[in-house]
């Protein structure tokens, strides 16, 4: 009687879950399709499949079953009876795509590491399936694996906590997931991630005294952005003569007439310093997360680094800082810089937080700072900013030095009523992109109370005053470059 009951229960279990659960499910080959404005990966639906997760890397093989640069778990198949994930990121023809797939089939989970796919070959007309079959490095019969496969499953993500991070308008799957990384290996900037800004700063009340051009370098695993004088220290160089027209290279944001060309006359001069500024605006943006930058900051009078998060869209208005700016790390790079009352605000002090006002006297209201005995340009440090739905938290070398709480609309002093229509973190409740660079001088970041400052912020001849003092400050540029080891962004 007991044997009959057990047998009946077993047959009932088979009838409920299906005979496939007794057999080993095999994940089908992933299909990659190149779209006009992105790409799609998919597998066909089969009976018993309950959900599917895709993890995709560009140009970086997986070391384990770890989160990819693009990751998402799909809960329902599409209308074509396929489990599909789409990204708006356009692939480059020299990209190599790595994919692993996680499938829940009835109550069992299966994982499969797919062969790499060369996008150039796909663009030249070969089908993805043919490319995989012809790849001599992988045997497709061995690509389907269960959790018993030799690749490790990172326990931090196997049972992940739900994330609040948004990337390219999609919710990231797991808290702690690495969603962006560049280690600056190779000899050239990865243009699928970064773009140069080639422009003059707008002539606003805090414009820097620079021209942003394409003079960043990669060497020994470091990004190096080093500022130079106009004319590369030629003794006959004169910023009051000549003209500048960037032409088709110009990447003007708002006013091409002012950002792309300059003809010196009167108080208008050419930019005293040529430097570089790069960003991920075209490729990567996110809302809420933790950004980490390991860098050696510039060392020299009147320089400052740009380690920024900037708004993807000026959602709260076009006025400067109406949509906010976040500073992962900011430093006035002078070796010695004091105010009239003796306060040291030079390179031994690091700042981080938010900029929400144009005027220099309001610049530090939403920033926190800490100081060290040595200049922050003497060695590499790791700077991070954790951006949540309630605050901005700042760290250097994994030590927290301050928190900036949200509720900025309450402290806006009537300057941006638009923030009242947003969330508690407005204007920091939209997607932002990463900016890296070096700047010099300007009207906003060096207060007029600085001792020996050669220009005043309100002077129409500020850039010319700065240039005339170059024999004094240029000799202090012992290590003027920003050197970046890596940039990483994690979901929270």
């Amino acid at each position: 009687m007991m044997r009959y009951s057990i047998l009946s229960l077993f047959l009932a279990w088979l009838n409920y879950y299906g005979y496939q659960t007794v057999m080993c499910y095999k994940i089908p080959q992933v299909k990659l399709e190149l779209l006009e404005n992105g790409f799609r990966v998919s597998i066909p639906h089969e009976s018993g499949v309950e959900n599917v997760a895709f993890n995709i890397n560009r140009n970086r093989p997986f070391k384990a079953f770890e989160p990819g640069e693009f990751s998402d778990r799909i809960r329902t198949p599409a209308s074509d009876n396929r489990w599909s994930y789409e990204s708006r990121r356009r692939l480059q023809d020299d990209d190599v795509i790595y994919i692993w797939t996680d499938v829940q089939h009835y109550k069992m989970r299966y994982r499969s590491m797919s062969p790499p796919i060369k996008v150039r070959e796909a663009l030249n007309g070969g089908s993805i399936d043919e490319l995989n079959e012809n790849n001599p490095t992988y045997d497709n019969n061995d690509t389907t694996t269960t959790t018993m496969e030799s690749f490790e499953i990172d326990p931090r993500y196997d049972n992940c906590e739900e994330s609040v991070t948004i990337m390219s308008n999609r919710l990231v799957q797991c808290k702690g997931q690495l969603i962006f990384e560049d280690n600056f290996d190779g000899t050239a900037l990865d243009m699928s991630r970064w773009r140069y800004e080639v422009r003059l700063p707008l002539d606003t009340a805090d414009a820097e005294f620079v021209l942003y051009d394409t003079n960043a370098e990669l060497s020994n695993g470091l990004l190096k952005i080093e500022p130079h004088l106009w004319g590369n220290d030629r003794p006959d160089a004169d910023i009051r003569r000549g003209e500048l027209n960037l032409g088709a290279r110009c990447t003007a944001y708002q006013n091409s007439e002012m950002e792309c060309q300059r003809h010196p006359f009167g108080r208008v001069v050419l930019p005293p310093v040529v430097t570089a500024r790069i960003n991920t605006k075209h490729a990567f943006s996110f809302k809420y997360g933790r950004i980490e930058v390991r860098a050696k900051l510039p060392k020299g009078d009147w320089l400052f680094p740009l380690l920024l998060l900037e708004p993807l869209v000026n959602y709260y208005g076009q006025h400067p800082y109406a949509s906010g700016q976040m500073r992962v790390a900011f430093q006035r790079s002078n070796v010695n810089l004091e105010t009239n009352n003796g306060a040291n605000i030079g390179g031994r002090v690091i700042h981080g937080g938010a900029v929400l006002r144009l005027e220099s006297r309001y610049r530090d209201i939403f920033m926190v700072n800490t100081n060290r005995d040595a200049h922050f340009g003497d060695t590499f440090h790791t700077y991070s900013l954790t951006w949540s739905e309630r605050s901005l938290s700042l760290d250097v070398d994994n030590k927290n030095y301050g928190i900036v709480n949200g509720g900025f609309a309450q402290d806006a002093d009537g300057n941006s009523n638009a923030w009242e229509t947003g969330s508690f973190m407005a204007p920091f409740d939209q997607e932002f992109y990463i900016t890296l660079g070096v700047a010099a001088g300007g009207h906003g970041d060096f207060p007029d109370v600085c001792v020996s400052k050669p220009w005043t912020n309100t002077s129409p001849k500020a850039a010319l005053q700065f240039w005339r003092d170059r024999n004094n400050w240029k000799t202090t540029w012992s290590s003027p470059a920003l050197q970046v080891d890596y940039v990483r962004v994690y979901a929270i």
Side-chain angles (χ1 to χ4, degrees):
M1 184 70 177
M2 179 63 70
R3 291 179 180 177
Y4 179 80
S5 298
I6 293 174
L7 179 61
S8 299
L9 288 171
F10 177 71
L11 292 175
W13 180 84
L14 283 180
N15 184 60
Y16 179 77
Y17 287 111
Y19 287 100
Q20 289 190 38
T21 59
V22 180
M23 303 169 62
C24 181
Y25 168 75
K26 182 175 181 179
I27 299 177
Q29 178 62 50
V30 176
K31 179 180 181 181
L32 171 66
E33 297 171 86
L34 304 179
L35 308 177
E36 183 177 355
N37 292 306
F39 67 90
R40 179 192 299 124
V41 295
S42 67
I43 61 172
H45 175 63
E46 295 182 26
S47 176
V49 175
E50 298 179 2
N51 58 73
V52 176
F54 295 101
N55 292 268
I56 305 144
N57 276 348
R58 293 175 303 161
N59 308 313
R60 181 164 63 94
F62 288 100
K63 297 179 181 179
F65 285 119
E66 58 194 1
E69 181 183 359
F70 310 95
S71 301
D72 201 11
R73 183 167 293 278
I74 314 304
R75 303 295 178 180
T76 56
S79 57
D80 60 354
N81 210 32
R82 298 185 68 86
W83 296 87
S84 301
Y85 164 78
E86 287 190 18
S87 172
R88 294 184 299 172
R89 187 69 52 81
R90 295 187 65 179
L91 300 179
Q92 305 296 313
D93 61 355
D94 58 348
D95 283 341
V96 178
I97 307 303
Y98 299 85
I99 306 171
W100 72 267
T101 312
D102 180 294
V103 176
Q104 182 169 336
H105 181 259
Y106 289 111
K107 301 304 177 184
M108 296 290 291
R109 290 179 63 185
Y110 296 84
R111 287 179 168 88
S112 171
M113 193 73 69
S114 296
I117 300 170
K118 297 178 181 179
V119 173
R120 179 182 290 112
E121 295 180 12
L123 289 172
N124 289 336
S127 74
I128 299 301
D129 292 337
E130 289 171 352
L131 293 174
N132 288 335
E133 290 171 2
N134 295 329
N135 190 315
T137 308
Y138 285 82
D139 179 358
N140 277 344
N141 291 327
D142 295 330
T143 60
T144 299
T145 63
T146 69
T147 55
M148 299 297 292
E149 216 269 2
S150 59
F151 286 100
E152 294 180 0
I153 301 170
D154 191 329
R156 293 175 300 172
Y157 305 116
D158 195 35
N159 295 303
C160 69
E161 295 182 55
E162 187 175 346
S163 169
V164 298
T165 299
I166 302 292
M167 182 179 71
S168 300
N169 207 34
R170 297 178 69 96
L171 183 66
V172 176
Q173 182 180 352
C174 296
K175 185 183 295 186
Q177 186 173 329
L178 179 65
I179 60 174
F180 179 90
E181 180 180 26
D182 199 337
N183 297 300
F184 301 106
D185 298 323
T187 59
L189 198 65
D190 184 349
M191 302 308 289
S192 69
R193 297 180 179 180
W194 304 95
R195 287 287 189 271
Y196 280 105
E197 297 182 30
V198 181
R199 63 181 181 87
L200 293 156
L202 274 173
D203 190 17
T204 57
D206 73 334
E208 315 88 88
F209 305 151
V210 302
L211 163 66
Y212 292 118
D213 210 331
T214 58
N215 58 327
E217 300 176 1
L218 263 66
S219 178
N220 299 319
L222 297 174
L223 166 70
K224 183 178 180 181
I225 298 177
E226 183 170 351
H228 301 277
L229 288 187
W230 180 264
N232 288 325
D233 293 324
R234 278 202 339 259
D236 61 336
D238 193 338
I239 63 173
R240 295 168 298 180
R241 297 184 177 88
E243 65 177 67
L244 174 66
N245 191 333
L246 298 173
R249 296 195 309 121
C250 186
T251 60
Y253 284 167
Q254 298 182 41
N255 188 323
S256 59
E257 183 175 348
M258 297 182 67
E259 295 179 82
C260 300
Q261 54 189 322
R262 184 165 295 176
H263 305 278
F265 68 92
R267 67 178 181 85
V268 179
V269 295
L270 296 174
V273 176
V274 181
T275 182
R277 178 174 177 144
I278 61 175
N279 68 57
T280 66
K281 185 175 184 179
H282 73 292
F284 172 77
S285 60
F286 71 105
K287 180 174 75 171
Y288 308 135
R290 179 168 64 86
I291 178 171
E292 185 177 285
V293 182
R294 185 173 186 270
K296 184 178 181 181
L297 302 185
K299 192 172 184 179
D301 286 2
W302 316 121
L303 298 172
F304 60 95
L306 303 170
L307 306 180
L308 310 175
L309 294 178
E310 299 191 278
L312 183 64
V313 177
N314 288 322
Y315 185 83
Y316 291 102
Q318 296 295 325
H319 189 270
Y321 305 115
S323 294
Q325 179 192 88
M326 286 176 275
R327 297 193 171 187
V328 180
F330 169 76
Q331 165 217 46
R332 298 177 181 95
S333 298
N334 300 51
V335 175
N336 296 298
L337 184 62
E338 292 186 351
T339 64
N340 292 334
N341 62 8
N344 191 317
I345 61 171
R348 288 178 289 171
V349 184
I350 200 73
H351 308 253
V355 177
L356 292 168
R357 295 284 293 272
L358 184 65
E359 303 88 348
S360 62
R361 65 183 182 275
Y362 297 117
R363 191 55 56 95
D364 294 333
I365 289 179
F366 299 107
M367 290 212 284
V368 293
N369 64 75
T370 187
N371 59 70
R372 296 280 177 89
D373 292 334
H375 194 287
F376 277 93
D378 285 344
T379 188
F380 282 86
H381 296 277
T382 302
Y383 306 95
S384 66
L385 180 153
T386 302
W387 168 26
S388 75
E389 297 169 296
R390 304 297 297 177
S391 66
L392 305 176
S393 181
L394 285 303
D395 290 63
V396 58
D397 297 329
N398 298 314
K399 295 182 180 179
N400 183 262
Y401 65 90
I403 294 176
V404 180
N405 291 313
F408 302 107
Q410 301 171 17
D411 300 313
D413 196 24
N415 282 274
S416 186
N417 294 329
W419 299 345
E420 297 176 358
T421 66
S423 72
F424 180 73
M425 281 299 288
F428 303 114
D429 57 355
Q430 306 296 317
E431 291 194 29
F432 279 59
Y433 61 88
I434 306 168
T435 292
L436 303 176
V438 178
H443 300 273
D445 288 299
F446 292 91
D448 285 337
V449 295
C450 293
V451 175
S452 302
K453 181 182 170 188
W455 79 97
T456 55
N457 288 333
T458 56
S459 172
K461 296 183 178 180
L464 182 59
Q465 293 168 345
F466 172 77
W467 170 258
R468 285 172 173 167
D469 193 56
R470 64 191 181 281
N471 290 335
N472 290 320
W473 49 255
K474 184 59 170 65
T475 59
T476 71
W477 287 16
S478 59
S479 179
L482 169 68
Q483 299 182 64
V484 182
D485 183 16
Y486 63 75
V487 179
R488 295 170 185 162
V489 181
Y490 298 87
I492 62 168

